[in-house]
Amino acid sequence: MGEIQQVSPVKNFFAGGVGGACLLLAGHPLDTIKVRLQTQPKVACGQHVIYTGTFDCFKRTVAREGMLGLYKGMAAPLAGVTPMMAIGFFGFGLGKRLQQQDPNTPLTYPQIYAAGMLAALCTTGIVAPGERIKCLLQVQSSSGVLKYSGPVDCAVQLYKEQGIRSIYKGTVLTLMRDVPSSGVYFMSYEWLKNVLTPEGQSVNDLSTPRILFAGGMAGILNWAVAIPVDVLKSIFQTAPEGRYSGFVDVLRELLREEGLRSLYKGFSAVMLRAFPANAACFLGFEVSLKFLNWLAPEM
């Protein structure tokens, strides 16, 4: 299972924040495309959809809004990414420690999976409102109706209209998406690091290309689990108030009108984003951690 390394919460906070910022900067353009593909209006037979696919959405967005259009809604998740990733990595470490009676005994992969699920539980309070605001800002740009001037204005308007519940709309779906997929995310990353570590060497000395590969593949496996619920979440969070009674209502309507394939809307954009974004995330985390260990070895 590899060499055990305990990291201080302070180092986890800063390294996790850097990793999260790297993930967001590398992956947000394709996240914008994913949300717009998932939430574009249904069309009747003979009518044309707004976007025919990932590349068409990219081309139209850049033509209409410029490259900055791909970064719509980024301020909300960016503002929460440092504490979110810090809490996530802290939750992962806490989950491992709670299950580890002997610090020198490596955890099994099911135990690492459970620790990864705890990481998602710890971050949902930040992720859910950030996702709600991000999706609304991403969708309004493609609809042509600019209701919100930015993330703060969006949060204020949501609160005025329906209170705190509106800001946290979609929290259950965020949990349903993130808890199982986060377990897969961390478990697959740890497993791949161990698999890629040459015989006789420490997992902590893994080369940059191997860290990038492990992080990128972990991201792909994470989204392979998460995307059906993510589609439901995007639709539910951007729908007018009262449009759906709950996620079951969204699922029932989606399957009835568009079939099972509709649960994989934006699949290409998700997978194109998953590898580079998560490779950047884990590389940013590992490099920052090594720097902090060099800067303050006793911290």
Side-chain angles (χ1 to χ4, degrees), residues 168-200:
Y168 278 87
K169 181 180 178 181
T171 298
V172 172
L173 279 162
T174 302
L175 279 168
M176 289 172 61
R177 181 194 69 175
D178 289 351
V179 170
S181 63
S182 181
V184 170
Y185 186 56
F186 283 103
M187 183 184 71
S188 58
Y189 179 66
E190 296 276 341
W191 173 70
L192 283 165
K193 282 206 304 179
N194 288 322
V195 168
L196 294 169
T197 301
E199 189 71 30

Side-chain angles (χ1 to χ4, degrees), residues 41-44 243-244 249-260 262 265:
K42 297 179 284 290
V43 295
R243 175 71 176 81
Y244 299 106
D249 193 24
V250 182
L251 177 62
R252 187 184 298 117
E253 181 181 294
L254 203 58
L255 291 177
R256 183 179 65 247
E257 297 189 4
E258 301 182 56
L260 192 61
S262 63
K265 285 181 177 181

Side-chain angles (χ1 to χ4, degrees), residues 177-234:
R177 181 194 69 175
D178 289 351
V179 170
S181 63
S182 181
V184 170
Y185 186 56
F186 283 103
M187 183 184 71
S188 58
Y189 179 66
E190 296 276 341
W191 173 70
L192 283 165
K193 282 206 304 179
N194 288 322
V195 168
L196 294 169
T197 301
E199 189 71 30
Q201 294 186 23
S202 168
V203 71
N204 299 316
D205 297 323
L206 206 61
S207 66
T208 296
R210 294 186 182 198
I211 291 171
L212 287 169
F213 180 77
M217 289 305 299
I220 285 177
L221 293 170
N222 167 72
W223 278 104
V225 173
I227 192 168
V229 182
D230 185 63
V231 171
L232 299 178
K233 183 194 69 66
S234 293

Side-chain angles (χ1 to χ4, degrees), residues 7-292:
V7 181
S8 76
V10 175
K11 290 178 181 176
N12 259 7
F13 180 86
F14 287 108
V18 171
C22 290
L23 180 149
L24 199 62
L25 290 169
H28 193 80
L30 279 161
D31 184 71
T32 297
I33 291 170
K34 176 206 74 173
V35 171
R36 291 184 177 185
L37 288 171
Q38 289 175 344
T39 58
Q40 67 175 328
K42 297 179 284 290
V43 295
C45 183
Q47 292 183 320
H48 296 290
V49 293
I50 299 174
Y51 310 113
T52 58
T54 300
F55 181 70
D56 183 55
C57 184
F58 169 82
K59 187 172 60 177
R60 287 173 180 267
T61 298
V62 172
R64 186 171 59 245
E65 304 169 51
M67 289 300 294
L68 289 178
L70 297 169
Y71 287 90
K72 288 285 174 66
M74 194 178 77
L78 186 61
V81 74
T82 297
M84 183 193 76
M85 295 303 289
I87 293 168
F89 277 98
F90 172 80
F92 179 56
L94 177 63
K96 291 197 292 185
R97 191 169 299 177
L98 288 172
Q99 300 177 86
Q100 195 171 44
Q101 295 178 347
D102 179 4
N104 296 314
T105 303
L107 293 176
T108 63
Y109 288 117
Q111 287 175 318
I112 294 173
Y113 181 85
M117 290 196 295
L118 180 62
L121 285 172
C122 292
T123 58
T124 300
I126 299 172
V127 173
E131 286 274 306
R132 164 87 155 136
I133 292 166
K134 171 184 72 71
C135 288
L136 286 171
L137 291 173
Q138 288 171 326
V139 170
Q140 75 163 1
S141 298
S142 61
S143 68
V145 181
L146 299 181
K147 182 180 179 182
Y148 311 109
S149 61
V152 174
D153 180 52
C154 181
V156 169
Q157 286 197 48
L158 290 174
Y159 183 78
K160 285 180 178 178
E161 289 169 5
Q162 297 288 332
I164 197 70
R165 283 186 59 188
S166 181
I167 295 175
Y168 278 87
K169 181 180 178 181
T171 298
V172 172
L173 279 162
T174 302
L175 279 168
M176 289 172 61
R177 181 194 69 175
D178 289 351
V179 170
S181 63
S182 181
V184 170
Y185 186 56
F186 283 103
M187 183 184 71
S188 58
Y189 179 66
E190 296 276 341
W191 173 70
L192 283 165
K193 282 206 304 179
N194 288 322
V195 168
L196 294 169
T197 301
E199 189 71 30
Q201 294 186 23
S202 168
V203 71
N204 299 316
D205 297 323
L206 206 61
S207 66
T208 296
R210 294 186 182 198
I211 291 171
L212 287 169
F213 180 77
M217 289 305 299
I220 285 177
L221 293 170
N222 167 72
W223 278 104
V225 173
I227 192 168
V229 182
D230 185 63
V231 171
L232 299 178
K233 183 194 69 66
S234 293
I235 293 172
F236 184 70
Q237 286 186 318
T238 57
E241 200 61 40
R243 175 71 176 81
Y244 299 106
S245 59
F247 68 87
V248 175
D249 193 24
V250 182
L251 177 62
R252 187 184 298 117
E253 181 181 294
L254 203 58
L255 291 177
R256 183 179 65 247
E257 297 189 4
E258 301 182 56
L260 192 61
R261 289 183 62 184
S262 63
L263 291 174
Y264 290 88
K265 285 181 177 181
F267 181 83
S268 298
V270 168
M271 289 305 167
L272 283 171
R273 170 186 180 268
F275 191 96
N278 289 283
C281 174
F282 277 111
L283 181 64
F285 176 78
E286 299 283 2
V287 170
S288 300
L289 204 54
K290 285 185 178 181
F291 174 74
L292 290 170

